Amino acid sequence: MSELTLAQRFEAVQARIHAACARAGRNVSSVQLIAVSKRQPLEALREAYALGQRHFGENYAQELRDKHAALSDLPGLRWHAIGPLQVKNAKYVAQAAHVFHALENVEVAQALNRRRTHDALRCLVEVNVAGEGSKAGLSPDALPAFLAQAANWPALTVVGLMAMPPLSDDAEASRPHFRAVATLAKQHGLTELSMGSTFDFEVAIEEGATWVRVGTALFGERLR
Ligand SMILES: *Cc1c(COP(=O)(O)O)cnc(C)c1O
């Protein structure tokens, strides 16, 4: 893996996205690759940008804030906040993010709504379809009541659902979870699906993902 250049890894992931789209009979333009750059050095992000990558995903609000500032010279770069968020850090996401993928609680939604001053922040609600106790995300049962409150947050636009199935050696293990998320989104008239990471993004595309969040396959191992 470390033998490969960043350009080769990006090319390989793009090829896998194309193949998954072909298998699923989908147009490649319906799937957006988010390069998950958490704990990757700025030089790696600049190199990815030079290769044409524009969408980057960060988990930690302070890291997002710092990278947003450090790379503000790159036109068209779009930040996706993909990790769990605490109220006290909502301001960083409100300032820097193009899309927030991990909305799951009312207090955070209210804080983002107060802090967002430019265009509406597009948000995905994170759902815990596998019913894992330890995992972030709303249970599907809680989704209707949560979505009903979205009208109270004019600075946010809920556009879809996000999910992170249990890690597994077998990408196929994610398929039923992805399918459940896609069904749930359809039931609620939501069009965007943020699902799939390095180990299962092709299955996610086959099940309708519109945003895949890929880190390791693009950048290699993360810094500690
Ligand atoms: C880190 C992370 C990813 C990317 O994971 P990889 O296995 O490196 O592709 C995707 N989504 C979320 C929410 C993450 O935290």
Side-chain angles (χ1 to χ4, degrees):
M1 190 86 172
S2 54
E3 305 291 312
L4 297 178
T5 64
L6 195 71
Q8 288 169 326
R9 288 198 293 253
F10 268 75
E11 217 165 274
V13 169
Q14 295 288 5
R16 289 166 63 186
I17 290 173
H18 278 251
C21 285
R23 281 197 300 280
R26 296 184 57 188
N27 195 314
V28 178
S29 65
S30 68
V31 180
Q32 190 75 246
L33 171 64
I34 300 174
V36 176
S37 49
K38 63 184 177 204
R39 303 206 304 273
Q40 298 292 350
L42 289 172
E43 310 81 76
L45 281 77
R46 286 193 180 274
E47 199 182 335
Y49 180 90
L51 295 170
Q53 182 63 33
R54 291 295 177 270
H55 294 263
F56 291 85
E58 289 287 337
N59 277 56
Y60 311 101
Q62 280 95 343
E63 189 175 349
L64 171 64
R65 173 199 63 196
D66 295 346
K67 283 180 169 160
H68 175 252
L71 298 178
S72 61
D73 59 310
L74 301 179
L77 192 159
R78 298 277 181 262
W79 293 106
H80 294 252
I82 64 173
L85 183 61
Q86 293 176 281
V87 168
K88 66 174 166 38
N89 293 327
K91 55 182 178 285
Y92 305 130
V93 168
Q95 280 156 18
H98 176 61
V99 181
F100 177 49
H101 290 241
L103 192 64
E104 55 160 345
N105 104 30
V106 171
E107 288 72 34
V108 168
Q110 289 168 337
L112 287 169
N113 183 59
R114 272 196 308 278
R115 295 287 191 156
R116 183 73 170 190
T117 50
H118 43 302
D119 59 334
L121 177 63
R122 296 199 295 164
C123 294
L124 296 106
V125 177
E126 184 169 359
V127 287
N128 181 353
V129 277
E132 291 176 287
S134 59
K135 268 270 177 72
L138 288 180
S139 81
D141 294 346
L143 192 59
F146 187 81
L147 291 174
Q149 298 184 72
N152 299 326
W153 312 318
L156 312 182
T157 307
V158 175
V159 294
L161 300 179
M162 181 273 231
M164 186 94 178
L167 280 177
S168 159
D169 293 336
D170 179 13
E172 284 299 325
S174 297
R175 191 182 296 279
H177 302 304
F178 291 149
R179 195 165 288 178
V181 178
T183 301
L184 204 55
K186 197 170 241 171
Q187 283 166 357
H188 290 93
L190 298 168
T191 54
E192 303 296 338
L193 291 172
S194 170
M195 52 192 205
S197 61
T198 288
F199 87 98
D200 59 7
F201 70 89
E202 290 145 303
V203 173
I205 289 170
E206 290 169 8
E207 297 300 329
T210 59
W211 277 317
V212 291
R213 309 178 309 268
V214 180
T216 317
L218 295 172
F219 292 110
E221 291 306 316
R222 287 180 273 273
L223 305 172
R224 283 275 117 213

